[in-house]
Amino acid sequence: MARRPKRSHNGGPPLDEYKGPPWGKGDPYIFLAWQAAHAKAWKAPSREIMLLRMDKAERLGLTYEEYTLEILERGRHLREEDTERISAIKAARKRRRARHLD
């Protein structure tokens, strides 16, 4: 008979008792490919690139993370002419902040 979870348990899998591979029941090749792609994408850029991105993000009114995420997700660097996309990023920022306060 299975034990009943504690009252404060969130219903997720046990973290300490798992003895299987890190990819779970999925394909290990896909897991390792995604893991390598994630590490490559978020690898720290050179100091010069980071400073250029920080400067550009500041001029556009975005954070460094927002600007870098736009490059990683869409593969393009934002410019001053991209007012619609910049406005959408700022609006999403406000929505995230409002949800956090609820």
Side-chain angles (χ1 to χ4, degrees):
M1 187 166 155
R3 279 195 293 177
R4 188 173 196 181
K6 292 182 182 179
R7 182 173 169 218
S8 62
H9 196 284
N10 68 359
L15 299 177
D16 297 333
E17 299 171 13
Y18 181 69
K19 302 277 192 260
W23 52 84
K25 295 180 182 177
D27 185 7
Y29 176 78
I30 293 174
F31 172 80
L32 294 173
W34 272 103
Q35 191 177 40
H38 182 271
K40 183 179 177 185
W42 284 103
K43 180 181 152 198
S46 67
R47 182 178 185 275
E48 291 78 22
I49 298 294
M50 190 179 298
L51 290 174
L52 286 171
R53 286 182 185 171
M54 285 175 63
D55 182 50
K56 185 77 174 223
E58 186 177 314
R59 282 189 280 139
L60 295 174
L62 301 173
T63 65
Y64 173 79
E65 289 80 13
E66 291 169 337
Y67 185 74
T68 302
L69 191 58
E70 186 69 18
I71 294 170
L72 293 174
E73 284 183 343
R74 295 189 170 55
R76 60 186 300 256
H77 296 264
L78 292 173
R79 297 183 302 220
E80 285 81 10
E81 298 85 39
D82 298 324
T83 55
E84 285 183 33
R85 182 64 194 143
I86 294 169
S87 299
I89 293 171
K90 290 180 181 179
R93 179 193 314 162
K94 290 177 185 174
R95 284 193 304 271
R96 281 193 306 273
R97 235 186 255 150
R99 259 188 285 142
H100 178 68
L101 297 176
D102 290 341

